[in-house]
Amino acid sequence: MAADRVFSALGTDTITMSQENSVGFVTPQRAYFNEPLKLKSGAELPRFELVFETYGTLNSERSNAVLVCHALSGSHHVAGRYADDPENVGWWNNLVGPGKALDTRKFFVVGVNNLGGCYGSTGPLSLNPETGKRYGAAFPLVTVEDWVAAQARLADHLGVRTWAAVIGGSLGGMQALEWSLQFPDRIRHAMVIASAPKLSAQNIAFNEVARQAIISDPDFHGGDYAEHGVVPTRGLRLARMIGHITYLSDTQMAEKFGRQLRHGEHKFSYEVDFEIESYLRYQGDKFAAFFDANTYLMTTKALDYFDPAYDFDGNLAAALARAKASFFVAGFSTDWRFAPARSREIVFALLHNRLHVVYAEIDCSAGHDSFLLDDAHYHALLRAYLENIAT
């Protein structure tokens, strides 16, 4: 999303489009918070801003609000389109809208760009009020816990005392889980999809390789690349290529690309020979053109640090004893980055605390990215659970 669209987005109206089941044209909004936010690291942000979008109507009881939490490269633009850029469709548009699984005729849906993001919320690209320059490398590390604390401020701003549900996939699922722990009385349902209670050593390793690709880029300049008028494009490109491999399953790669040759024959060079190479380079180039490198570094570290059981000697059941919400937990059969076994860890810890849990293990060939796709069985499960919340 173009930064100028985010920075100028102050409206609150939703314009109805003719497309069936669409929330229509949407306009991002801004919320300003002047009270300091103490971060888990010990650092403090004196003030901050969050960019968000809303879909549907908050009912008179203020009981139908649903928070959608985004994953690593996601944003507040969950559903709908922009009037000046109708091709820019929300990242979960297949799920959110009138008549869809998350039905905006029944729910007031909120999407927010997390603190430290690069879509307009206060982050490394923002001006540091103490220096008048962009934060860059000086922006403090934020964690999943910090995101949830900032989201709670947004809930207060919107007049939402209790979320009907908090839902997210991957890193978004970690936020939904954290909501149930940090604010157990402000969430009725936590929907944790394609997620995990903490990263495995392998996942931390993938994140570190991606970070090193960015940090070792000559244009990184210790994180202050904006002051030099450059972007560590090569590092970002490689980081995204590494990450994208982990989001797909071997089955999906074989089905989409196999060993198809780009030019029908071997070129015997280090240029693109195979279609999968072309695809990864395309994804890397596209990502590097819009995402901020410092945000990428910070977000992967937030993934690494999340571990509710850390302060409970690794006992997840003890960590989740604070939760009061009901839970929907789902994993996907071919997701090897956040395998279903990781979802079951959450389920077992919740059941140990006699909490109400619905668990779904879904057969899908798309790997970790399955939570973003329009799989009929997956959406039917979400619809059924959400309809029970609505009624």
Side-chain angles (χ1 to χ4, degrees), residues 250-285:
D250 183 55
T251 300
Q252 187 184 43
M253 282 194 186
E255 290 175 352
K256 290 182 68 173
F257 307 107
R259 290 181 55 85
Q260 296 175 47
L261 293 170
R262 182 71 169 164
H263 304 287
E265 61 181 3
H266 294 151
K267 291 295 186 180
F268 298 101
S269 74
Y270 294 112
E271 295 304 312
V272 170
D273 265 332
F274 297 94
E275 289 287 358
I276 184 62
E277 294 174 315
S278 176
Y279 173 76
L280 288 175
R281 292 190 188 195
Y282 168 76
Q283 292 293 337
D285 289 340

PDB file of all heavy atoms in Angstrom, residues 250-285:
ATOM      1  N   ASP A 250       5.895 -28.564   0.136  1.00  0.00           N
ATOM      2  CA  ASP A 250       6.544 -29.224  -0.996  1.00  0.00           C
ATOM      3  C   ASP A 250       5.502 -29.663  -2.020  1.00  0.00           C
ATOM      4  O   ASP A 250       5.721 -29.569  -3.233  1.00  0.00           O
ATOM      5  CB  ASP A 250       7.339 -30.435  -0.502  1.00  0.00           C
ATOM      6  CG  ASP A 250       8.102 -31.116  -1.617  1.00  0.00           C
ATOM      7  OD1 ASP A 250       8.883 -30.441  -2.304  1.00  0.00           O
ATOM      8  OD2 ASP A 250       7.902 -32.335  -1.808  1.00  0.00           O
ATOM      9  N   THR A 251       4.335 -30.105  -1.527  1.00  0.00           N
ATOM     10  CA  THR A 251       3.258 -30.525  -2.433  1.00  0.00           C
ATOM     11  C   THR A 251       2.791 -29.374  -3.298  1.00  0.00           C
ATOM     12  O   THR A 251       2.621 -29.518  -4.518  1.00  0.00           O
ATOM     13  CB  THR A 251       2.065 -31.066  -1.618  1.00  0.00           C
ATOM     14  OG1 THR A 251       2.502 -32.186  -0.847  1.00  0.00           O
ATOM     15  CG2 THR A 251       0.928 -31.490  -2.531  1.00  0.00           C
ATOM     16  N   GLN A 252       2.592 -28.200  -2.694  1.00  0.00           N
ATOM     17  CA  GLN A 252       2.137 -27.064  -3.470  1.00  0.00           C
ATOM     18  C   GLN A 252       3.190 -26.621  -4.481  1.00  0.00           C
ATOM     19  O   GLN A 252       2.863 -26.280  -5.622  1.00  0.00           O
ATOM     20  CB  GLN A 252       1.781 -25.900  -2.552  1.00  0.00           C
ATOM     21  CG  GLN A 252       1.131 -24.733  -3.307  1.00  0.00           C
ATOM     22  CD  GLN A 252       0.875 -23.550  -2.426  1.00  0.00           C
ATOM     23  OE1 GLN A 252       1.721 -23.180  -1.616  1.00  0.00           O
ATOM     24  NE2 GLN A 252      -0.284 -22.928  -2.567  1.00  0.00           N
ATOM     25  N   MET A 253       4.451 -26.613  -4.071  1.00  0.00           N
ATOM     26  CA  MET A 253       5.513 -26.248  -5.008  1.00  0.00           C
ATOM     27  C   MET A 253       5.545 -27.197  -6.200  1.00  0.00           C
ATOM     28  O   MET A 253       5.705 -26.778  -7.349  1.00  0.00           O
ATOM     29  CB  MET A 253       6.872 -26.257  -4.304  1.00  0.00           C
ATOM     30  CG  MET A 253       7.154 -25.055  -3.447  1.00  0.00           C
ATOM     31  SD  MET A 253       8.898 -25.002  -3.013  1.00  0.00           S
ATOM     32  CE  MET A 253       8.913 -23.642  -1.879  1.00  0.00           C
ATOM     33  N   ALA A 254       5.380 -28.498  -5.909  1.00  0.00           N
ATOM     34  CA  ALA A 254       5.392 -29.490  -6.988  1.00  0.00           C
ATOM     35  C   ALA A 254       4.206 -29.290  -7.927  1.00  0.00           C
ATOM     36  O   ALA A 254       4.345 -29.387  -9.154  1.00  0.00           O
ATOM     37  CB  ALA A 254       5.377 -30.896  -6.402  1.00  0.00           C
ATOM     38  N   GLU A 255       3.023 -28.999  -7.334  1.00  0.00           N
ATOM     39  CA  GLU A 255       1.824 -28.822  -8.159  1.00  0.00           C
ATOM     40  C   GLU A 255       1.906 -27.559  -9.014  1.00  0.00           C
ATOM     41  O   GLU A 255       1.501 -27.558 -10.178  1.00  0.00           O
ATOM     42  CB  GLU A 255       0.581 -28.763  -7.270  1.00  0.00           C
ATOM     43  CG  GLU A 255       0.225 -30.092  -6.615  1.00  0.00           C
ATOM     44  CD  GLU A 255      -0.940 -29.956  -5.644  1.00  0.00           C
ATOM     45  OE1 GLU A 255      -1.352 -28.795  -5.371  1.00  0.00           O
ATOM     46  OE2 GLU A 255      -1.417 -30.989  -5.149  1.00  0.00           O
ATOM     47  N   LYS A 256       2.426 -26.479  -8.447  1.00  0.00           N
ATOM     48  CA  LYS A 256       2.451 -25.206  -9.163  1.00  0.00           C
ATOM     49  C   LYS A 256       3.626 -25.092 -10.133  1.00  0.00           C
ATOM     50  O   LYS A 256       3.498 -24.503 -11.213  1.00  0.00           O
ATOM     51  CB  LYS A 256       2.517 -24.050  -8.164  1.00  0.00           C
ATOM     52  CG  LYS A 256       1.258 -23.834  -7.362  1.00  0.00           C
ATOM     53  CD  LYS A 256       1.389 -22.655  -6.435  1.00  0.00           C
ATOM     54  CE  LYS A 256       1.479 -21.330  -7.184  1.00  0.00           C
ATOM     55  NZ  LYS A 256       1.443 -20.170  -6.243  1.00  0.00           N
ATOM     56  N   PHE A 257       4.782 -25.648  -9.738  1.00  0.00           N
ATOM     57  CA  PHE A 257       5.991 -25.408 -10.519  1.00  0.00           C
ATOM     58  C   PHE A 257       6.701 -26.681 -10.983  1.00  0.00           C
ATOM     59  O   PHE A 257       7.216 -26.734 -12.097  1.00  0.00           O
ATOM     60  CB  PHE A 257       6.980 -24.560  -9.706  1.00  0.00           C
ATOM     61  CG  PHE A 257       6.389 -23.300  -9.167  1.00  0.00           C
ATOM     62  CD1 PHE A 257       6.100 -23.173  -7.813  1.00  0.00           C
ATOM     63  CD2 PHE A 257       6.095 -22.241 -10.005  1.00  0.00           C
ATOM     64  CE1 PHE A 257       5.554 -22.012  -7.302  1.00  0.00           C
ATOM     65  CE2 PHE A 257       5.543 -21.073  -9.505  1.00  0.00           C
ATOM     66  CZ  PHE A 257       5.276 -20.955  -8.153  1.00  0.00           C
ATOM     67  N   GLY A 258       6.741 -27.694 -10.104  1.00  0.00           N
ATOM     68  CA  GLY A 258       7.510 -28.883 -10.425  1.00  0.00           C
ATOM     69  C   GLY A 258       8.924 -28.503 -10.827  1.00  0.00           C
ATOM     70  O   GLY A 258       9.558 -27.658 -10.190  1.00  0.00           O
ATOM     71  N   ARG A 259       9.402 -29.097 -11.905  1.00  0.00           N
ATOM     72  CA  ARG A 259      10.713 -28.751 -12.455  1.00  0.00           C
ATOM     73  C   ARG A 259      10.558 -28.050 -13.813  1.00  0.00           C
ATOM     74  O   ARG A 259      11.416 -28.169 -14.702  1.00  0.00           O
ATOM     75  CB  ARG A 259      11.571 -30.004 -12.580  1.00  0.00           C
ATOM     76  CG  ARG A 259      12.024 -30.577 -11.230  1.00  0.00           C
ATOM     77  CD  ARG A 259      12.900 -31.807 -11.424  1.00  0.00           C
ATOM     78  NE  ARG A 259      14.044 -31.553 -12.279  1.00  0.00           N
ATOM     79  CZ  ARG A 259      15.208 -31.045 -11.854  1.00  0.00           C
ATOM     80  NH1 ARG A 259      15.367 -30.731 -10.571  1.00  0.00           N
ATOM     81  NH2 ARG A 259      16.209 -30.860 -12.691  1.00  0.00           N
ATOM     82  N   GLN A 260       9.445 -27.324 -13.942  1.00  0.00           N
ATOM     83  CA  GLN A 260       9.202 -26.629 -15.204  1.00  0.00           C
ATOM     84  C   GLN A 260      10.315 -25.625 -15.494  1.00  0.00           C
ATOM     85  O   GLN A 260      10.743 -24.874 -14.620  1.00  0.00           O
ATOM     86  CB  GLN A 260       7.867 -25.875 -15.146  1.00  0.00           C
ATOM     87  CG  GLN A 260       6.650 -26.756 -14.994  1.00  0.00           C
ATOM     88  CD  GLN A 260       5.394 -25.909 -14.824  1.00  0.00           C
ATOM     89  OE1 GLN A 260       5.160 -24.961 -15.563  1.00  0.00           O
ATOM     90  NE2 GLN A 260       4.590 -26.254 -13.830  1.00  0.00           N
ATOM     91  N   LEU A 261      10.751 -25.618 -16.744  1.00  0.00           N
ATOM     92  CA  LEU A 261      11.801 -24.711 -17.176  1.00  0.00           C
ATOM     93  C   LEU A 261      11.191 -23.410 -17.688  1.00  0.00           C
ATOM     94  O   LEU A 261      10.169 -23.415 -18.377  1.00  0.00           O
ATOM     95  CB  LEU A 261      12.652 -25.351 -18.270  1.00  0.00           C
ATOM     96  CG  LEU A 261      13.489 -26.564 -17.834  1.00  0.00           C
ATOM     97  CD1 LEU A 261      14.088 -27.259 -19.038  1.00  0.00           C
ATOM     98  CD2 LEU A 261      14.582 -26.127 -16.867  1.00  0.00           C
ATOM     99  N   ARG A 262      11.830 -22.312 -17.349  1.00  0.00           N
ATOM    100  CA  ARG A 262      11.336 -21.000 -17.740  1.00  0.00           C
ATOM    101  C   ARG A 262      11.388 -20.810 -19.260  1.00  0.00           C
ATOM    102  O   ARG A 262      10.484 -20.226 -19.857  1.00  0.00           O
ATOM    103  CB  ARG A 262      12.185 -19.922 -17.046  1.00  0.00           C
ATOM    104  CG  ARG A 262      11.761 -18.499 -17.321  1.00  0.00           C
ATOM    105  CD  ARG A 262      10.466 -18.179 -16.642  1.00  0.00           C
ATOM    106  NE  ARG A 262      10.161 -16.755 -16.686  1.00  0.00           N
ATOM    107  CZ  ARG A 262       8.970 -16.254 -16.451  1.00  0.00           C
ATOM    108  NH1 ARG A 262       7.964 -17.044 -16.126  1.00  0.00           N
ATOM    109  NH2 ARG A 262       8.758 -14.959 -16.517  1.00  0.00           N
ATOM    110  N   HIS A 263      12.434 -21.311 -19.870  1.00  0.00           N
ATOM    111  CA  HIS A 263      12.638 -21.085 -21.300  1.00  0.00           C
ATOM    112  C   HIS A 263      12.585 -22.376 -22.109  1.00  0.00           C
ATOM    113  O   HIS A 263      12.948 -22.373 -23.284  1.00  0.00           O
ATOM    114  CB  HIS A 263      13.982 -20.384 -21.533  1.00  0.00           C
ATOM    115  CG  HIS A 263      14.121 -19.103 -20.776  1.00  0.00           C
ATOM    116  ND1 HIS A 263      13.438 -17.958 -21.122  1.00  0.00           N
ATOM    117  CD2 HIS A 263      14.857 -18.798 -19.667  1.00  0.00           C
ATOM    118  CE1 HIS A 263      13.755 -16.989 -20.259  1.00  0.00           C
ATOM    119  NE2 HIS A 263      14.600 -17.473 -19.374  1.00  0.00           N
ATOM    120  N   GLY A 264      12.161 -23.457 -21.475  1.00  0.00           N
ATOM    121  CA  GLY A 264      12.017 -24.712 -22.211  1.00  0.00           C
ATOM    122  C   GLY A 264      13.288 -25.490 -22.395  1.00  0.00           C
ATOM    123  O   GLY A 264      13.275 -26.591 -22.969  1.00  0.00           O
ATOM    124  N   GLU A 265      14.381 -24.959 -21.914  1.00  0.00           N
ATOM    125  CA  GLU A 265      15.664 -25.667 -22.032  1.00  0.00           C
ATOM    126  C   GLU A 265      16.624 -25.130 -20.970  1.00  0.00           C
ATOM    127  O   GLU A 265      16.434 -24.038 -20.434  1.00  0.00           O
ATOM    128  CB  GLU A 265      16.266 -25.463 -23.425  1.00  0.00           C
ATOM    129  CG  GLU A 265      16.556 -24.010 -23.765  1.00  0.00           C
ATOM    130  CD  GLU A 265      17.135 -23.839 -25.142  1.00  0.00           C
ATOM    131  OE1 GLU A 265      17.253 -24.851 -25.865  1.00  0.00           O
ATOM    132  OE2 GLU A 265      17.469 -22.688 -25.514  1.00  0.00           O
ATOM    133  N   HIS A 266      17.666 -25.917 -20.689  1.00  0.00           N
ATOM    134  CA  HIS A 266      18.679 -25.481 -19.734  1.00  0.00           C
ATOM    135  C   HIS A 266      19.544 -24.390 -20.365  1.00  0.00           C
ATOM    136  O   HIS A 266      19.993 -24.526 -21.510  1.00  0.00           O
ATOM    137  CB  HIS A 266      19.559 -26.657 -19.307  1.00  0.00           C
ATOM    138  CG  HIS A 266      18.816 -27.692 -18.529  1.00  0.00           C
ATOM    139  ND1 HIS A 266      19.170 -29.017 -18.528  1.00  0.00           N
ATOM    140  CD2 HIS A 266      17.734 -27.592 -17.730  1.00  0.00           C
ATOM    141  CE1 HIS A 266      18.335 -29.700 -17.750  1.00  0.00           C
ATOM    142  NE2 HIS A 266      17.457 -28.851 -17.264  1.00  0.00           N
ATOM    143  N   LYS A 267      19.784 -23.335 -19.608  1.00  0.00           N
ATOM    144  CA  LYS A 267      20.598 -22.230 -20.100  1.00  0.00           C
ATOM    145  C   LYS A 267      22.055 -22.326 -19.659  1.00  0.00           C
ATOM    146  O   LYS A 267      22.903 -21.578 -20.128  1.00  0.00           O
ATOM    147  CB  LYS A 267      20.009 -20.891 -19.617  1.00  0.00           C
ATOM    148  CG  LYS A 267      18.667 -20.531 -20.255  1.00  0.00           C
ATOM    149  CD  LYS A 267      18.818 -20.308 -21.748  1.00  0.00           C
ATOM    150  CE  LYS A 267      17.528 -19.823 -22.359  1.00  0.00           C
ATOM    151  NZ  LYS A 267      17.664 -19.592 -23.819  1.00  0.00           N
ATOM    152  N   PHE A 268      22.319 -23.237 -18.714  1.00  0.00           N
ATOM    153  CA  PHE A 268      23.672 -23.437 -18.197  1.00  0.00           C
ATOM    154  C   PHE A 268      24.305 -22.111 -17.750  1.00  0.00           C
ATOM    155  O   PHE A 268      25.381 -21.716 -18.196  1.00  0.00           O
ATOM    156  CB  PHE A 268      24.550 -24.142 -19.251  1.00  0.00           C
ATOM    157  CG  PHE A 268      24.044 -25.512 -19.599  1.00  0.00           C
ATOM    158  CD1 PHE A 268      23.325 -25.721 -20.759  1.00  0.00           C
ATOM    159  CD2 PHE A 268      24.251 -26.585 -18.733  1.00  0.00           C
ATOM    160  CE1 PHE A 268      22.826 -26.975 -21.071  1.00  0.00           C
ATOM    161  CE2 PHE A 268      23.765 -27.848 -19.042  1.00  0.00           C
ATOM    162  CZ  PHE A 268      23.042 -28.042 -20.205  1.00  0.00           C
ATOM    163  N   SER A 269      23.560 -21.427 -16.864  1.00  0.00           N
ATOM    164  CA  SER A 269      24.018 -20.163 -16.298  1.00  0.00           C
ATOM    165  C   SER A 269      23.418 -20.037 -14.901  1.00  0.00           C
ATOM    166  O   SER A 269      22.679 -20.907 -14.445  1.00  0.00           O
ATOM    167  CB  SER A 269      23.579 -18.992 -17.170  1.00  0.00           C
ATOM    168  OG  SER A 269      22.191 -18.750 -17.009  1.00  0.00           O
ATOM    169  N   TYR A 270      23.743 -18.919 -14.237  1.00  0.00           N
ATOM    170  CA  TYR A 270      23.180 -18.671 -12.911  1.00  0.00           C
ATOM    171  C   TYR A 270      21.947 -17.770 -12.972  1.00  0.00           C
ATOM    172  O   TYR A 270      21.471 -17.294 -11.947  1.00  0.00           O
ATOM    173  CB  TYR A 270      24.243 -18.074 -11.987  1.00  0.00           C
ATOM    174  CG  TYR A 270      25.356 -19.050 -11.703  1.00  0.00           C
ATOM    175  CD1 TYR A 270      26.645 -18.824 -12.192  1.00  0.00           C
ATOM    176  CD2 TYR A 270      25.115 -20.214 -10.985  1.00  0.00           C
ATOM    177  CE1 TYR A 270      27.663 -19.725 -11.953  1.00  0.00           C
ATOM    178  CE2 TYR A 270      26.127 -21.123 -10.743  1.00  0.00           C
ATOM    179  CZ  TYR A 270      27.404 -20.880 -11.235  1.00  0.00           C
ATOM    180  OH  TYR A 270      28.405 -21.788 -11.010  1.00  0.00           O
ATOM    181  N   GLU A 271      21.448 -17.542 -14.171  1.00  0.00           N
ATOM    182  CA  GLU A 271      20.190 -16.834 -14.317  1.00  0.00           C
ATOM    183  C   GLU A 271      19.034 -17.821 -14.128  1.00  0.00           C
ATOM    184  O   GLU A 271      19.250 -19.002 -13.852  1.00  0.00           O
ATOM    185  CB  GLU A 271      20.126 -16.156 -15.683  1.00  0.00           C
ATOM    186  CG  GLU A 271      21.156 -15.055 -15.868  1.00  0.00           C
ATOM    187  CD  GLU A 271      21.069 -13.994 -14.786  1.00  0.00           C
ATOM    188  OE1 GLU A 271      19.941 -13.526 -14.514  1.00  0.00           O
ATOM    189  OE2 GLU A 271      22.108 -13.665 -14.195  1.00  0.00           O
ATOM    190  N   VAL A 272      17.803 -17.356 -14.293  1.00  0.00           N
ATOM    191  CA  VAL A 272      16.633 -18.198 -14.041  1.00  0.00           C
ATOM    192  C   VAL A 272      16.545 -19.322 -15.060  1.00  0.00           C
ATOM    193  O   VAL A 272      16.520 -19.080 -16.266  1.00  0.00           O
ATOM    194  CB  VAL A 272      15.346 -17.355 -14.084  1.00  0.00           C
ATOM    195  CG1 VAL A 272      14.122 -18.255 -14.059  1.00  0.00           C
ATOM    196  CG2 VAL A 272      15.312 -16.392 -12.902  1.00  0.00           C
ATOM    197  N   ASP A 273      16.520 -20.548 -14.569  1.00  0.00           N
ATOM    198  CA  ASP A 273      16.253 -21.719 -15.397  1.00  0.00           C
ATOM    199  C   ASP A 273      14.859 -22.267 -15.101  1.00  0.00           C
ATOM    200  O   ASP A 273      14.103 -22.570 -16.016  1.00  0.00           O
ATOM    201  CB  ASP A 273      17.279 -22.827 -15.124  1.00  0.00           C
ATOM    202  CG  ASP A 273      18.441 -22.800 -16.117  1.00  0.00           C
ATOM    203  OD1 ASP A 273      18.222 -22.350 -17.252  1.00  0.00           O
ATOM    204  OD2 ASP A 273      19.538 -23.234 -15.741  1.00  0.00           O
ATOM    205  N   PHE A 274      14.538 -22.385 -13.796  1.00  0.00           N
ATOM    206  CA  PHE A 274      13.310 -23.050 -13.376  1.00  0.00           C
ATOM    207  C   PHE A 274      12.238 -22.029 -12.978  1.00  0.00           C
ATOM    208  O   PHE A 274      12.538 -20.940 -12.482  1.00  0.00           O
ATOM    209  CB  PHE A 274      13.596 -23.992 -12.206  1.00  0.00           C
ATOM    210  CG  PHE A 274      14.536 -25.105 -12.559  1.00  0.00           C
ATOM    211  CD1 PHE A 274      15.901 -24.989 -12.328  1.00  0.00           C
ATOM    212  CD2 PHE A 274      14.056 -26.278 -13.132  1.00  0.00           C
ATOM    213  CE1 PHE A 274      16.775 -26.010 -12.661  1.00  0.00           C
ATOM    214  CE2 PHE A 274      14.920 -27.309 -13.468  1.00  0.00           C
ATOM    215  CZ  PHE A 274      16.281 -27.172 -13.232  1.00  0.00           C
ATOM    216  N   GLU A 275      10.981 -22.415 -13.176  1.00  0.00           N
ATOM    217  CA  GLU A 275       9.864 -21.529 -12.846  1.00  0.00           C
ATOM    218  C   GLU A 275       9.846 -21.151 -11.374  1.00  0.00           C
ATOM    219  O   GLU A 275       9.489 -20.035 -11.008  1.00  0.00           O
ATOM    220  CB  GLU A 275       8.531 -22.184 -13.242  1.00  0.00           C
ATOM    221  CG  GLU A 275       8.279 -22.263 -14.736  1.00  0.00           C
ATOM    222  CD  GLU A 275       7.954 -20.912 -15.351  1.00  0.00           C
ATOM    223  OE1 GLU A 275       7.877 -19.907 -14.616  1.00  0.00           O
ATOM    224  OE2 GLU A 275       7.777 -20.873 -16.576  1.00  0.00           O
ATOM    225  N   ILE A 276      10.235 -22.084 -10.489  1.00  0.00           N
ATOM    226  CA  ILE A 276      10.241 -21.778  -9.070  1.00  0.00           C
ATOM    227  C   ILE A 276      11.249 -20.674  -8.756  1.00  0.00           C
ATOM    228  O   ILE A 276      11.014 -19.824  -7.894  1.00  0.00           O
ATOM    229  CB  ILE A 276      10.526 -23.046  -8.211  1.00  0.00           C
ATOM    230  CG1 ILE A 276      10.438 -22.731  -6.718  1.00  0.00           C
ATOM    231  CG2 ILE A 276      11.881 -23.649  -8.560  1.00  0.00           C
ATOM    232  CD1 ILE A 276       9.101 -22.262  -6.244  1.00  0.00           C
ATOM    233  N   GLU A 277      12.365 -20.634  -9.487  1.00  0.00           N
ATOM    234  CA  GLU A 277      13.339 -19.561  -9.304  1.00  0.00           C
ATOM    235  C   GLU A 277      12.730 -18.214  -9.699  1.00  0.00           C
ATOM    236  O   GLU A 277      12.898 -17.209  -9.005  1.00  0.00           O
ATOM    237  CB  GLU A 277      14.583 -19.829 -10.155  1.00  0.00           C
ATOM    238  CG  GLU A 277      15.385 -21.048  -9.739  1.00  0.00           C
ATOM    239  CD  GLU A 277      16.509 -21.343 -10.707  1.00  0.00           C
ATOM    240  OE1 GLU A 277      16.282 -21.303 -11.930  1.00  0.00           O
ATOM    241  OE2 GLU A 277      17.637 -21.600 -10.223  1.00  0.00           O
ATOM    242  N   SER A 278      12.035 -18.209 -10.820  1.00  0.00           N
ATOM    243  CA  SER A 278      11.383 -16.988 -11.288  1.00  0.00           C
ATOM    244  C   SER A 278      10.353 -16.503 -10.282  1.00  0.00           C
ATOM    245  O   SER A 278      10.266 -15.302  -9.984  1.00  0.00           O
ATOM    246  CB  SER A 278      10.708 -17.238 -12.644  1.00  0.00           C
ATOM    247  OG  SER A 278       9.991 -16.102 -13.071  1.00  0.00           O
ATOM    248  N   TYR A 279       9.582 -17.438  -9.732  1.00  0.00           N
ATOM    249  CA  TYR A 279       8.545 -17.093  -8.755  1.00  0.00           C
ATOM    250  C   TYR A 279       9.153 -16.471  -7.499  1.00  0.00           C
ATOM    251  O   TYR A 279       8.680 -15.437  -7.009  1.00  0.00           O
ATOM    252  CB  TYR A 279       7.755 -18.352  -8.398  1.00  0.00           C
ATOM    253  CG  TYR A 279       6.757 -18.170  -7.277  1.00  0.00           C
ATOM    254  CD1 TYR A 279       5.554 -17.518  -7.475  1.00  0.00           C
ATOM    255  CD2 TYR A 279       7.029 -18.671  -5.996  1.00  0.00           C
ATOM    256  CE1 TYR A 279       4.635 -17.359  -6.446  1.00  0.00           C
ATOM    257  CE2 TYR A 279       6.120 -18.521  -4.961  1.00  0.00           C
ATOM    258  CZ  TYR A 279       4.926 -17.864  -5.190  1.00  0.00           C
ATOM    259  OH  TYR A 279       4.035 -17.707  -4.178  1.00  0.00           O
ATOM    260  N   LEU A 280      10.211 -17.070  -6.969  1.00  0.00           N
ATOM    261  CA  LEU A 280      10.832 -16.551  -5.755  1.00  0.00           C
ATOM    262  C   LEU A 280      11.446 -15.176  -5.991  1.00  0.00           C
ATOM    263  O   LEU A 280      11.362 -14.286  -5.131  1.00  0.00           O
ATOM    264  CB  LEU A 280      11.893 -17.527  -5.245  1.00  0.00           C
ATOM    265  CG  LEU A 280      11.364 -18.822  -4.623  1.00  0.00           C
ATOM    266  CD1 LEU A 280      12.520 -19.750  -4.275  1.00  0.00           C
ATOM    267  CD2 LEU A 280      10.520 -18.537  -3.385  1.00  0.00           C
ATOM    268  N   ARG A 281      12.055 -14.985  -7.140  1.00  0.00           N
ATOM    269  CA  ARG A 281      12.633 -13.672  -7.435  1.00  0.00           C
ATOM    270  C   ARG A 281      11.539 -12.614  -7.556  1.00  0.00           C
ATOM    271  O   ARG A 281      11.706 -11.480  -7.088  1.00  0.00           O
ATOM    272  CB  ARG A 281      13.460 -13.742  -8.723  1.00  0.00           C
ATOM    273  CG  ARG A 281      14.716 -14.599  -8.574  1.00  0.00           C
ATOM    274  CD  ARG A 281      15.621 -14.456  -9.770  1.00  0.00           C
ATOM    275  NE  ARG A 281      16.728 -15.409  -9.718  1.00  0.00           N
ATOM    276  CZ  ARG A 281      17.824 -15.318 -10.469  1.00  0.00           C
ATOM    277  NH1 ARG A 281      17.943 -14.324 -11.342  1.00  0.00           N
ATOM    278  NH2 ARG A 281      18.781 -16.219 -10.368  1.00  0.00           N
ATOM    279  N   TYR A 282      10.434 -12.986  -8.165  1.00  0.00           N
ATOM    280  CA  TYR A 282       9.307 -12.060  -8.282  1.00  0.00           C
ATOM    281  C   TYR A 282       8.789 -11.672  -6.908  1.00  0.00           C
ATOM    282  O   TYR A 282       8.558 -10.494  -6.616  1.00  0.00           O
ATOM    283  CB  TYR A 282       8.197 -12.699  -9.118  1.00  0.00           C
ATOM    284  CG  TYR A 282       6.887 -11.944  -9.046  1.00  0.00           C
ATOM    285  CD1 TYR A 282       6.696 -10.758  -9.745  1.00  0.00           C
ATOM    286  CD2 TYR A 282       5.842 -12.414  -8.245  1.00  0.00           C
ATOM    287  CE1 TYR A 282       5.508 -10.049  -9.657  1.00  0.00           C
ATOM    288  CE2 TYR A 282       4.638 -11.710  -8.154  1.00  0.00           C
ATOM    289  CZ  TYR A 282       4.480 -10.537  -8.865  1.00  0.00           C
ATOM    290  OH  TYR A 282       3.301  -9.835  -8.770  1.00  0.00           O
ATOM    291  N   GLN A 283       8.576 -12.674  -6.035  1.00  0.00           N
ATOM    292  CA  GLN A 283       8.088 -12.388  -4.685  1.00  0.00           C
ATOM    293  C   GLN A 283       9.068 -11.514  -3.912  1.00  0.00           C
ATOM    294  O   GLN A 283       8.673 -10.607  -3.176  1.00  0.00           O
ATOM    295  CB  GLN A 283       7.832 -13.696  -3.934  1.00  0.00           C
ATOM    296  CG  GLN A 283       6.682 -14.516  -4.474  1.00  0.00           C
ATOM    297  CD  GLN A 283       5.336 -13.848  -4.289  1.00  0.00           C
ATOM    298  OE1 GLN A 283       5.171 -12.999  -3.423  1.00  0.00           O
ATOM    299  NE2 GLN A 283       4.365 -14.228  -5.107  1.00  0.00           N
ATOM    300  N   GLY A 284      10.366 -11.788  -4.069  1.00  0.00           N
ATOM    301  CA  GLY A 284      11.381 -10.991  -3.386  1.00  0.00           C
ATOM    302  C   GLY A 284      11.403  -9.556  -3.865  1.00  0.00           C
ATOM    303  O   GLY A 284      11.469  -8.612  -3.070  1.00  0.00           O
ATOM    304  N   ASP A 285      11.343  -9.359  -5.180  1.00  0.00           N
ATOM    305  CA  ASP A 285      11.351  -8.004  -5.743  1.00  0.00           C
ATOM    306  C   ASP A 285      10.119  -7.216  -5.306  1.00  0.00           C
ATOM    307  O   ASP A 285      10.214  -6.031  -4.951  1.00  0.00           O
ATOM    308  CB  ASP A 285      11.402  -8.077  -7.274  1.00  0.00           C
ATOM    309  CG  ASP A 285      12.752  -8.543  -7.795  1.00  0.00           C
ATOM    310  OD1 ASP A 285      13.739  -8.449  -7.050  1.00  0.00           O
ATOM    311  OD2 ASP A 285      12.805  -9.008  -8.948  1.00  0.00           O
TER     312      ASP A 285
END
